Each structure stands twice: as structure tokens, then as C-alpha cells.
Amino acid sequence: SSPSESPILFGYLTLYNVFSAIGWSLVLYTTTRHLLTAPYLPSSAGISNGPKATSAFARLFSSLPGMKSGAPSVLPTSSIESFVLDKLPFLEPFIMRSHTLYQSAGLLTAVVQSFAVLEVAHVVLGWVRSAVGTTAIQVASRLILVWGIAERYEEARTSPFYATMLLSWSTTEIVRYTYYALSLLSSSTSPISYQVSIPYWLTYLRYTTFYLLYPTGAGSEAFCMYATLPKSNPLNSGPWVQKMLWGRWGFEDWVRGFMFVIWWPGLYMMYTHMMRQRRKVLGWGPGKTIGAAP
């Protein structure tokens, strides 16, 4: 049954989207508050390590054969971070606070994001019209970042890119889930006795904010993964080829390196897909369909 034919299903999907929007609002609030008000050490004091991984997921991943990283445990300031601090010193408080953001927002983000596995079930059960493969890949990539990367590696969860990743994720999801909830409530076949309308500004945000948030989100994801690689990687000086090929890179290091590479064409595919969707929904540019259903 479609949501319009089943009041129970309609209510469940509506509440799922509402609570998801609330959850990501809490992530955005926690992240912003930490970056603005948390105590921090100056850059001269070095990076303050975040908490060690303690979740059952992290222990399970760590126990798998070959899943032992060659990444160092000492966290030097990255070359990117040093460059930013040198050129834009006013960003130092925010960058230094980002090193401990995981302590404030890590668990909350993991819990909120983990509920997204229900979206795969929604598609499989036919409750939501979407491609199973695409939905599964999108959810899996987020879970990999939450449980397989940030939860396990200090280099990822103390990186400034972890903060920009959460800011991009939470802003995107607040708009997306709010839009979905109102889409259900505004449907002409809704089982409720009244309908609400989707404000145009929300539709505009839904199909416009990706211009900024997709590159910052996906780029931050990629560089969080990159931060976990052994320092014998192509972007660092030294005989990195020999170090990569002769024992410094473990199996999972190669996997994360491969993921870092494929993240960029993946971003391009999603970016161009959203541009096409924007033209269809907002009715601007070639291929426009004014008034098309989202």
C-alpha cells in the first residue's frame, strides 16, 4: 500500500522524517555550539586527541583479518591545516575546537545517522519509490564514515574536515527531511483531513543548497579518509612509492586510498544528478518541467 492508502504507513513515514529532521537539528546545534564556545589549546600546543573507539562496531571491524592500519598514532598538524593557520589565523579558534568536536557530537551523529538504514528498508518494502542500489550505497557510505572511519581513527575525528562534514550533513538533512515530511502532509491523497503547503523557499533550498553542501560534504568525507592513510602517501614528500609497496600499507589502507580516489567521480555523478533534478522541479534551464512532482 502507498502512504495515502494506509494511515498507519502515512503516519510512520511522516514521523520518521520529522524525527530525522529533529535529530539532525541537534547535530547542527551541538556542532555549532562546540565550534563557537568550547575551550581549546592554541595551535602551538599541538593537536588534542579525541576519545578512543569504544563501540561494538569498531571492535568488530578491528577484529576482521587484515584490518590493521599502518597509520601512526601520533597526530602531527597536517600540511593543509598549517597552511590555513598561516594564511587565515582568525580561523585558529574554530580549527582548534574542531579537534575535540567528536567528544561532543560523535555519538549523537552516529546514532542519528544509523537510523538511516531504515530508508533502505523503506525502498525494499515499496513504501518509498527509489532505487535500492543507490539508496543502499548512499547510506552505506555514511555509515562507513561514521563507524568505519571517524569511530576508529583519531586522525579522522580530530581533523577539521570532520567538523565541516557534520555541518554539511546536518544542514542538508534538516532541509531534506523537512521537505519530505511536508511533501507527505501536502499530498492531495493524504489520509489526513487537511493539507499543508510546501513553502517555495523550502523547495528552493532543497534543490539549491547542494551547490555548496555537496562539495563541502563529500570533500570533507574524502579528506577524513585521507587523514587516516599512512604518511607515505602520494601527497607527502619522500619515497612514498617504495613505502606503499613494501609493507607500510596494510590491506585496509589500500581500501581507504581507493575510496578516496573514487569519492570524486561519485561526487560528480551526484552533483550533476541534482542539477538535473533542480531543472525539473524549479523549471529553470534546459529540460525544465514546470510544476513537475519532486
Side-chain angles (χ1 to χ4, degrees):
S1 302
S2 68
S4 62
E5 297 170 346
S6 172
I8 295 177
L9 180 57
F10 173 87
Y12 163 74
L13 290 176
T14 302
L15 288 176
Y16 172 81
N17 286 298
V18 168
F19 282 111
S20 294
I22 293 173
W24 283 109
S25 296
L26 291 175
V27 173
L28 179 60
Y29 170 78
T30 303
T31 301
T32 305
R33 180 180 180 182
H34 184 96
L35 294 177
L36 292 176
T37 64
Y40 70 95
L41 294 175
S43 58
S44 58
I47 290 180
S48 176
N49 295 347
K52 295 183 180 298
T54 57
S55 74
F57 286 98
R59 290 195 297 270
L60 174 61
F61 292 155
S62 299
S63 65
L64 294 177
M67 296 298 184
K68 186 176 181 180
S69 172
S73 57
V74 178
L75 303 178
T77 302
S78 69
S79 55
I80 297 177
E81 186 173 326
S82 298
F83 175 81
V84 173
L85 289 174
D86 181 59
K87 301 298 182 182
L88 303 171
F90 66 90
L91 292 177
E92 179 175 357
F94 307 105
I95 292 177
M96 293 300 105
R97 290 182 181 120
S98 71
H99 297 154
T100 56
L101 173 60
Y102 186 88
Q103 300 175 32
S104 298
L107 178 60
L108 175 62
T109 301
V111 171
V112 173
Q113 180 57 57
S114 294
F115 274 100
V117 297
L118 294 174
E119 296 184 23
V120 181
H122 298 166
V123 177
V124 172
L125 294 172
W127 296 350
V128 174
R129 289 179 296 175
S130 184
V132 176
T134 302
T135 304
I137 289 173
Q138 291 175 337
V139 172
S141 65
R142 289 280 192 92
L143 294 179
I144 288 172
L145 264 298
V146 167
W147 294 110
I149 302 296
E151 174 72 9
R152 296 184 57 217
Y153 295 96
E154 290 179 323
E155 294 87 350
R157 60 179 175 264
T158 58
S159 169
F161 288 109
Y162 181 75
T164 54
M165 182 178 75
L166 294 197
L167 290 172
S168 300
W169 282 7
S170 56
T171 305
T172 297
E173 300 296 49
I174 291 169
V175 173
R176 185 170 73 96
Y177 284 117
T178 302
Y179 181 84
Y180 287 164
L182 291 180
S183 294
L184 285 167
L185 294 172
S186 65
S187 171
S188 60
T189 57
S190 168
I192 61 178
S193 58
Y194 63 94
Q195 277 79 43
V196 299
S197 60
I198 303 176
Y200 178 78
W201 61 264
L202 182 60
T203 303
Y204 185 84
L205 289 177
R206 170 71 181 97
Y207 291 98
T208 304
T209 54
F210 76 90
Y211 279 124
L212 172 64
L213 298 177
Y214 269 36
T216 56
S220 298
E221 294 167 14
F223 280 106
C224 278
M225 287 187 288
Y226 182 81
T228 69
L229 297 177
K231 300 312 172 186
S232 54
N233 59 58
L235 297 187
N236 283 298
S237 59
W240 56 268
V241 175
Q242 294 91 329
K243 293 178 181 178
M244 289 171 63
L245 296 179
W246 302 108
R248 289 293 297 277
W249 280 44
F251 171 74
E252 195 182 3
D253 298 324
W254 285 100
V255 171
R256 296 196 311 280
F258 175 73
M259 291 174 63
F260 173 78
V261 173
I262 67 172
W263 228 250
W264 304 104
L267 168 61
Y268 173 78
M269 294 174 60
M270 290 300 299
Y271 202 70
T272 53
H273 169 73
M274 284 301 297
M275 291 175 68
R276 292 190 294 269
Q277 291 297 104
R278 187 180 192 277
R279 286 196 295 268
K280 290 180 180 179
V281 174
L282 296 181
W284 296 348
K288 64 184 180 181
T289 306
I290 297 179

